[in-house]
Amino acid sequence: MNDRDRQILGIALPAIVTNITVPLLGMVDTAIVGHMGAAAYIGAVAVGSMIFNLVYWVFGFLRMGTSGLTAQARGRRDLTEVTRLLVRSASVSMAVALALIVLQWPLCELMLSLLGPTADVRPLAATYFYIVVWGAPASLGLFALTGWFIGMQNTRLPMLVSICQNVVNILASLLLVYGLDMKIEGVALGTVVAQYGGVLLGVALLLRYYRRLWRGIAVRDVFLKSELVRFFRVNRDIFLRTVFLVAVNFYFTSAGARQGAVVLAVNTLLLQLYLLFSYVMDGFAYAGEALGGRYWGAGNRVAFSAVVERLFRWGALMVMLFTAVYVAGGMPFLHLLTDEPQVVAASREYVWWAYLIPLAGVAAFVWDGIFIGITQTRGMLQSSLIAAAVFFVSVAVLTRLMGNHGLWLSMLLYLFSRGLVQTIIFCNRVAR
């Protein structure tokens, strides 16, 4: 293992731990409401969590755009711009959070209409939403902080914040629900308390480790027109790219649902294998953001090329590892998630599609990190647009011929197309 590998793992491993702990926030809420005596509570948390997952996913550019720009500024040793970027990103995050709070009623009504929960679930989901929405400043503020930390090549601090956030969520939700008998309100309020606990810890860590960077910063320079234009151009491309990703994933779920409850359940379970791989590969993508952006910003093309090469070597290793694990343990893993006979039986017919996910998706994950680091966001947008077109055309043709097999083939073509287009863009625009 060379120095470049140690740099990559030093960033990737804490990021992987962080990614794996993120779903625990929703799992804790689900486990608590699962003992309230009514299935409607479980449905309400599931619907409410899905709304915020979708909303926050769309605004993920607040993290990704910040990390790439910060890594480049650090590579240029422009520490003044490094600090400005955090203030700039945090300011935009607060503006978006304020908009979500002001527009909470129409947003809630729109999302509930799209998701269509049953009559007993809808009011409980609305209650959950109207409480958790007040955590938007904390959640989006953490996006800015996390992106900045990654750009500074420090993923240990986001890992610490994520772990502490989960601990606070567990303790607060248990106290509010079982100590104060607050039901769904307690679960929602526990989530908000955890969100603000996380952002306060993030700020404390920022001041503890990076206080010296803030001496002499001129706030007026944060909002220079030229820098704002670049900031919003980068984030606009990432935002639109994310919209295409959300559309593909949303349609994949709805297309499966139209084929019946069993197929929907099977697809939901198999997607857990996709998510597991994505959590690990996102860690390596973060390494691409931080190291790729740093060496690109410093103009060190030799070191940049070495990072790209090593990231793809690690990607190839992860493909072999996950494919072997899925082939050997895919069905036992699905048995842990459900004991419904029909779902288990149907899973055997489709599980082999999940075995191909690592091979089809590895290039897209690696390139995403590298492209964010060098702020080649237009290439990310173009690859997502082309891949989404491939997906929707494939779905229209293949599902008629192959049913759910056609849906899964379309998803794999989508993942592969993203990576292929990004490879072509990199070779033609970056590697020259």
Side-chain angles (χ1 to χ4, degrees):
M1 183 181 295
N2 61 28
D3 290 340
R4 205 69 69 205
D5 289 322
R6 281 189 281 272
Q7 283 183 308
I8 290 172
L9 291 180
I11 295 171
L13 292 180
I16 291 169
V17 173
T18 301
N19 290 340
I20 292 175
T21 61
V22 167
L24 291 179
L25 282 171
M27 291 173 61
V28 168
D29 289 349
T30 302
I32 291 174
V33 297
H35 295 85
M36 287 184 179
Y41 288 119
I42 300 176
V45 169
V47 170
S49 298
M50 184 179 297
I51 290 174
F52 286 105
N53 286 341
L54 289 172
V55 171
Y56 291 152
W57 192 12
V58 167
F59 291 109
F61 66 83
L62 293 168
R63 185 205 67 76
M64 290 182 280
T66 302
S67 65
L69 292 170
T70 301
Q72 289 186 33
R74 183 179 184 275
R76 296 192 304 270
R77 300 186 182 277
D78 186 353
L79 298 183
T80 301
E81 180 60 15
V82 162
T83 54
R84 290 173 184 162
L85 278 163
L86 178 55
V87 176
R88 197 174 293 138
S89 181
S91 300
V92 175
S93 297
M94 292 305 99
V96 172
L98 179 61
L100 291 177
I101 291 173
V102 171
L103 300 173
Q104 59 182 278
W105 182 81
L107 177 62
C108 181
E109 292 299 311
L110 173 63
M111 297 304 292
L112 289 177
S113 297
L114 290 174
L115 295 173
T118 56
D120 57 337
V121 170
R122 185 183 178 99
L124 293 173
T127 297
Y128 181 90
F129 175 91
Y130 286 124
I131 294 174
V132 175
V133 73
W134 290 95
S139 290
L140 296 178
L142 263 179
F143 279 12
L145 268 175
T146 300
W148 192 82
F149 284 142
I150 292 171
M152 296 297 288
Q153 299 183 32
N154 190 339
T155 52
R156 294 184 302 278
L157 297 186
M159 177 183 70
L160 180 60
V161 169
S162 183
I163 292 172
C164 292
Q165 195 174 20
N166 278 283
V167 172
V168 171
N169 186 49
I170 293 170
L171 295 177
S173 295
L174 289 174
L175 174 64
L176 292 168
V177 172
Y178 294 109
L180 301 179
D181 195 29
M182 292 182 68
K183 299 295 184 183
I184 196 76
E185 295 86 353
V187 173
L189 189 56
T191 298
V192 174
V193 169
Q195 290 168 337
Y196 279 100
V199 76
L200 289 175
L201 177 59
V203 171
L205 293 172
L206 173 72
L207 296 176
R208 168 68 176 81
Y209 292 101
Y210 298 100
R211 182 188 298 271
R212 61 183 177 80
L213 295 179
W214 299 91
R215 296 171 183 167
I217 180 174
V219 177
R220 65 180 182 276
D221 294 335
V222 170
F223 302 105
L224 290 173
K225 182 178 179 181
S226 59
E227 295 301 327
L228 282 175
V229 168
R230 185 184 182 211
F231 182 82
F232 282 110
R233 176 184 59 77
V234 168
N235 286 319
R236 177 201 62 199
D237 292 342
I238 297 175
F239 171 79
L240 293 174
R241 167 256 188 190
T242 304
V243 169
F244 288 119
L245 266 62
V246 170
V248 168
N249 284 275
F250 199 87
Y251 190 85
F252 180 88
T253 300
S254 63
R258 287 197 295 270
Q259 299 182 59
V262 172
V263 169
L264 175 61
V266 168
N267 289 352
T268 301
L269 294 179
L270 293 182
L271 280 176
Q272 303 310 305
L273 298 177
Y274 169 73
L275 290 175
L276 181 60
F277 179 70
S278 72
Y279 292 147
V280 172
M281 288 309 304
D282 274 345
F284 290 98
Y286 289 176
E289 294 176 26
L291 294 173
R294 172 188 172 184
Y295 292 126
W296 185 264
N300 190 340
R301 297 299 184 264
V302 173
F304 173 75
S305 298
V307 167
V308 174
E309 178 190 352
R310 300 310 299 181
L311 282 171
F312 272 97
R313 286 180 180 270
W314 280 106
L317 179 61
M318 292 301 105
V319 168
M320 291 186 287
L321 175 63
F322 272 86
T323 302
V325 168
Y326 286 173
V327 171
M331 282 307 301
F333 176 73
L334 295 179
H335 276 281
L336 288 176
L337 297 178
T338 183
D339 56 1
E340 176 60 41
Q342 276 187 299
V343 176
V344 171
S347 296
R348 296 184 184 279
E349 182 181 353
Y350 299 106
V351 69
W352 61 274
W353 287 109
Y355 302 161
L356 300 174
I357 287 174
L359 181 62
V362 63
F365 283 108
V366 174
W367 283 131
D368 276 353
I370 294 168
F371 276 36
I372 289 171
I374 64 176
T375 56
Q376 178 55 255
T377 52
R378 180 52 55 91
M380 292 177 66
L381 172 58
Q382 291 169 338
S383 66
S384 296
L385 170 60
I386 293 171
V390 169
F391 172 79
F392 286 111
V393 171
S394 299
V395 166
V397 176
L398 295 177
T399 52
R400 295 181 181 179
L401 301 175
M402 303 167 61
N404 197 48
H405 289 292
L407 182 60
W408 272 101
L409 178 54
S410 299
M411 175 58 80
L412 294 180
L413 288 174
Y414 160 74
L415 292 172
F416 179 78
S417 298
R418 271 177 57 198
L420 177 62
V421 174
Q422 285 173 304
T423 301
I424 295 171
I425 290 173
F426 182 85
C427 293
N428 289 333
R429 297 183 191 173
V430 181
R432 287 182 175 182

